[in-house]
């Protein structure tokens, strides 16, 4: 049985290229109720006018850019999770989207399955507005991702994200292995904690999590 249209999550899509917009709207229209805007100005008006569950914003738009649009949306305290579509993969392009308040980015041309998976992850995530800095890194529990200082994206599993979410919830606090097991790995052991700390460090940087000898772990301060 198909869900009724009103039960579908609402997606704001801002894209000026007609061909791309037509395909994306068709593909995502199965899962989302889509409002499509062709300019940043129109997108901003929609974003300010009603609540959306998720936003997909092209970076390059005529007039107001996707970056300017997101900055304006975040300035208005709208925390709806957002993916920025960017045609350019330079450090500046990746970082400016994240700096503007995107929770995730996707390089064009992208795979539709990837876009749908990213959107689903963001909607499962722990809610918007939870991005956290870990030193010069950025952690987005909503996107299940860590971003390196150059904007490089490192996907996290739910358990890895949960571990970082706990540690960054109180960055000064040293969490004992028992505390971490109780919050993140019920039924697990100290060894489970050590294994996940290792996974997260291996895929990002060793400094992302500090080991405090004989006590436990704490959010790191990588540069
Ligand atoms: Ca464009």
């Amino acid at each position: 049985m198909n869900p009724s249209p009103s039960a579908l999550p609402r997606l704001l899509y801002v894209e000026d290229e007609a061909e791309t917009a037509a395909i994306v709207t068709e593909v995502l229209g199965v899962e989302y109720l889509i409002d499509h805007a062709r300019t940043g100005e129109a997108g901003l008006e929609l974003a300010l006018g009603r609540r959306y569950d998720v936003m997909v914003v092209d970076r390059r738009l005529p007039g107001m850019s996707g970056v300017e649009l997101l900055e304006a949306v975040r300035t208005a305290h709208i925390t709806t999770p957002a993916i920025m579509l960017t045609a350019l993969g330079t450090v500046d392009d990746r970082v400016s989207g994240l700096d503007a308040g995107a929770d995730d980015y996707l390089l064009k041309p992208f795979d539709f399955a990837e876009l749908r998976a990213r959107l689903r992850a963001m909607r499962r995530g722990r809610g918007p507005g939870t991005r956290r800095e870990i030193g010069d890194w950025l952690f987005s529990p909503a996107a299940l991702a860590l971003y390196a200082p150059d904007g490089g994206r490192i996907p996290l599993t739910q358990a890895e994200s949960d571990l970082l979410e706990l540690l960054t919830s109180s960055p000064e606090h040293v969490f004992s292995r028992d505390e971490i097991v109780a919050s993140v790995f019920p039924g697990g052991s100290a060894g489970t904690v050590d294994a996940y700390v290792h996974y997260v460090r291996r895929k990002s940087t060793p400094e992302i999590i500090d080991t405090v000898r004989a006590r436990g772990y704490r959010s790191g301060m990588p540069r």
Side-chain angles (χ1 to χ4, degrees):
M1 203 178 79
N2 289 323
S4 72
S6 61
L8 295 175
R10 282 202 165 261
L11 183 150
L12 174 60
Y13 176 38
V14 189
E15 169 69 81
D16 59 308
E17 290 143 58
E19 224 171 288
T20 311
I23 303 168
V24 169
T25 303
E26 188 182 331
V27 171
L28 295 183
V30 179
E31 286 174 87
Y32 299 91
L33 211 54
I34 300 174
D35 282 346
H36 171 220
R38 288 167 185 80
T39 65
E41 289 83 354
L44 180 59
E45 199 179 319
L46 286 171
L48 297 178
R50 71 168 310 147
R51 205 190 71 79
Y52 288 94
D53 296 291
V54 68
M55 295 189 285
V56 178
V57 178
D58 187 34
R59 186 175 189 281
R60 281 201 166 169
L61 299 165
M64 174 183 267
S65 73
V67 170
E68 291 165 335
L69 162 62
L70 267 186
E71 278 169 353
V73 163
R74 296 304 187 222
T75 299
H77 305 292
I78 295 167
T79 54
T80 305
I83 290 188
M84 178 155 289
L85 304 177
T86 176
L88 310 160
T90 66
V91 168
D92 213 36
D93 292 318
R94 295 188 297 206
V95 171
S96 65
L98 294 168
D99 281 350
D103 300 275
D104 202 351
Y105 66 81
L106 197 52
L107 299 184
K108 285 172 139 183
F110 52 84
D111 183 59
F112 290 114
E114 179 70 17
L115 175 60
R116 292 172 70 179
R118 297 272 191 97
L119 286 169
R120 268 189 234 117
M122 285 208 309
R123 296 197 43 249
R124 267 201 317 270
R126 292 298 166 76
T130 53
R131 300 182 344 162
R132 290 166 191 170
E133 286 171 8
I134 307 178
D136 287 347
W137 291 60
L138 183 67
F139 165 48
S140 171
L144 293 180
L146 255 177
Y147 302 100
D150 70 355
R153 184 183 196 276
I154 296 159
L156 299 171
T157 64
Q158 187 67 59
E160 291 165 351
S161 178
D162 290 348
L163 170 64
L164 279 181
E165 199 175 3
L166 176 68
L167 296 180
T168 57
S169 67
S170 186
E172 305 299 321
H173 180 69
V174 179
F175 288 86
S176 70
R177 288 175 174 78
D178 285 348
E179 273 180 282
I180 298 172
V181 165
S183 294
V184 183
F185 304 106
S189 66
T192 315
V193 175
D194 293 342
Y196 276 91
V197 167
H198 173 71
Y199 298 150
V200 173
R201 283 174 169 164
R202 190 179 55 189
K203 60 166 68 169
S204 57
T205 173
E207 291 83 43
I208 203 82
I209 296 170
D210 282 344
T211 300
V212 181
R213 194 174 269 283
R215 291 175 61 200
Y217 295 108
R218 167 171 71 189
S219 179
M221 287 293 287
R223 294 231 136 245

